[in-house]
């Protein structure tokens, strides 16, 4: 089955671990991998006892972006309409990650290039192995950063760094990415998977509704003034205050015991 080949998915300890699995192509995206990944994100969205997602790559890379062997025009064939590719494959994927009402952790296990870098950055919390590199490879093949890159980069690291990374295509190492605030943290290679797993497991046992509302509020903040944000926080807090997890969180605090959140 397509899913079993290009994307591996395994339910673990309350979260879904999704592994991009085309290691001989550095997990570059073809259509099949796109659809398989989106299928697994849909499973995560629709399964109540999956309360977080961990996305990573098989082999030595996280993802090298679009599979360029699918785009070979050396035989004189007509240029593909990349707008259609974005509209039908990359944009829905980024929207799906951002809209998923559960935390999405990305464990960048090696190079993340082109759309592969920006899909990683679209996730909620990004950990990277120290040896990983982030490459806005688009300029090297005459393209513009996509998959949300031109929106995410300036917001995360500012216009000066965003433009330089995008225009030069220079690799950024994981430590610098963390220092600049592009990602959450860089960890020793051998600790990446265990650290990402324990974070995913911790978030999966958290107050899922509150985490989902936090994700949405922070994302929405990029597009609106403080006044509107204050109103949205009021509305979200009203809902969070009616959740079972709020009641449990306060009870656990008062009883000096760990909270047992159910995600409801
Ligand atoms: C690959 C790829 C790859 C195929 C490594 N494709 N085989 C969106 C909409 C529509 C179309 C266009 O694009 C987009 C968005 C994009 O993502 S555009 C950007 C596409 N990605 C790139 O330009 C990155 C291309 N790859 C590289 O620059 C290097 O491979 C990096 C820096 C990622 C890794 O370098 P190395 O560690 O030196 O590995 P390598 O280059 O030797 O790659 C290993 C193999 O993987 C090799 O195959 P081979 O058969 O020789 O072992 C590569 O051809 C293959 N590979 N990326 N994107």
């Amino acid at each position: 089955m397509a899913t079993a080949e290009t994307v591996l998915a395994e339910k673990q300890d309350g979260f879904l671990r999704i592994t991009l699995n085309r290691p001989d192509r550095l997990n570059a995206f073809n259509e099949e991998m796109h659809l398989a990944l989106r299928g697994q994100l849909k499973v995560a969205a629709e399964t109540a006892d999956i309360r977080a997602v961990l996305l990573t790559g098989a082999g030595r890379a996280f993802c090298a972006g679009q599979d360029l062997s699918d785009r070979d025009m050396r035989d004189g064939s007509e240029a593909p309409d990349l707008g259609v590719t974005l509209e039908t494959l990359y944009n829905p994927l980024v929207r799906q990650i951002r809209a998923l009402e559960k935390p999405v952790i990305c464990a960048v296990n090696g190079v993340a290039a082109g759309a592969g870098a920006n899909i990683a950055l679209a996730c909620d919390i990004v950990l990277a192995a120290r040896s990983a590199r982030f490459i806005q490879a688009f300029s090297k093949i005459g393209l513009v950063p996509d998959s949300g890159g031109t929106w995410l980069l300036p917001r995360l690291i500012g216009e000066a760094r965003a433009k330089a990374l995008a225009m030069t295509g220079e690799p950024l190492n994981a430590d610098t990415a963390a220092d600049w605030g592009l990602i959450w943290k860089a960890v020793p290679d051998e600790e990446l998977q265990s650290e990402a797993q324990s974070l995913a497991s911790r978030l999966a046992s958290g107050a899922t509704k509150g985490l989902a509302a936090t994700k949405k509020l922070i994302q929405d903040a990029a597009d609106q003034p403080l006044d509107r944000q204050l109103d949205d926080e009021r509305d979200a807090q009203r809902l969070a205050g009616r959740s079972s997890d709020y009641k449990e969180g306060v009870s656990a605090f008062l009883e000096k015991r760990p909270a047992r959140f159910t995600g409801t």
Side-chain angles (χ1 to χ4, degrees):
M1 205 177 106
T3 303
E5 287 166 15
T6 55
V7 164
L8 307 174
E10 188 190 350
K11 203 173 146 211
Q12 288 180 315
D13 207 11
F15 66 89
L16 188 66
R17 179 192 183 87
I18 304 178
T19 306
L20 305 178
N21 190 38
R22 302 186 71 223
D24 54 326
R25 292 263 151 251
L26 304 189
N27 302 321
F29 271 100
N30 60 9
E31 185 165 346
E32 185 184 331
M33 193 171 91
H34 265 289
L35 298 179
L37 174 55
R38 279 170 53 200
Q40 290 303 330
L41 290 168
K42 189 163 184 281
V43 168
E46 291 173 354
T47 309
D49 62 354
I50 293 174
R51 289 162 61 192
V53 169
L54 169 53
L55 177 64
T56 192
R60 70 177 176 93
F62 171 67
C63 174
Q66 169 67 31
D67 188 322
L68 295 176
S69 51
D70 282 1
R71 306 287 155 167
D72 192 350
M73 289 164 278
R74 286 175 297 179
D75 62 0
S77 56
E78 209 180 309
D81 183 341
L82 300 189
V84 169
T85 310
L86 293 184
E87 189 60 27
T88 56
L89 298 173
Y90 289 87
N91 291 355
L93 173 60
V94 172
R95 290 187 174 115
Q96 197 176 3
I97 292 169
R98 303 287 285 186
L100 185 64
E101 294 177 347
K102 300 174 184 183
V104 182
I105 294 142
C106 187
V108 180
N109 52 301
V111 68
N118 294 337
I119 286 161
L121 300 178
C123 296
D124 301 317
I125 302 183
V126 185
L127 302 177
R130 282 238 151 83
S131 67
R133 295 165 291 151
F134 293 83
I135 310 177
Q136 294 295 318
F138 309 88
S139 60
K140 303 206 173 207
I141 53 170
L143 297 182
V144 303
D146 60 26
S147 305
T150 59
W151 190 91
L152 285 163
L153 288 169
R155 282 173 170 79
L156 291 168
I157 57 175
E159 189 172 320
R161 285 167 167 166
K163 281 181 177 164
L165 282 184
M167 289 182 176
T168 64
E170 276 181 25
L172 189 71
N173 67 49
D175 278 316
T176 309
D179 288 346
W180 286 6
L182 187 69
I183 62 168
W184 166 233
K185 59 170 139 165
V187 300
D189 288 20
E190 62 281 8
E191 290 170 22
L192 176 72
Q193 296 302 342
S194 60
E195 186 144 344
Q197 218 158 297
S198 74
L199 178 61
S201 158
R202 176 145 58 96
L203 292 175
S205 60
T208 309
K209 279 188 173 174
L211 295 178
T214 302
K215 170 172 176 169
K216 184 168 184 341
L217 283 165
I218 291 176
Q219 289 176 178
D220 291 352
D223 301 322
Q224 60 190 24
L226 176 62
D227 261 348
R228 173 75 199 280
Q229 192 71 14
L230 289 170
D231 289 346
D232 287 357
E233 286 178 359
R234 174 203 60 209
D235 295 343
Q237 202 69 300
R238 180 173 287 140
L239 287 176
R242 291 179 184 142
S243 68
S244 305
D245 282 340
Y246 173 60
K247 190 173 168 191
E248 164 62 9
V250 175
S251 306
F253 174 78
L254 296 174
E255 292 162 18
K256 300 190 189 302
R257 61 169 174 82
R260 288 180 298 269
F261 293 122
T262 56
T264 57

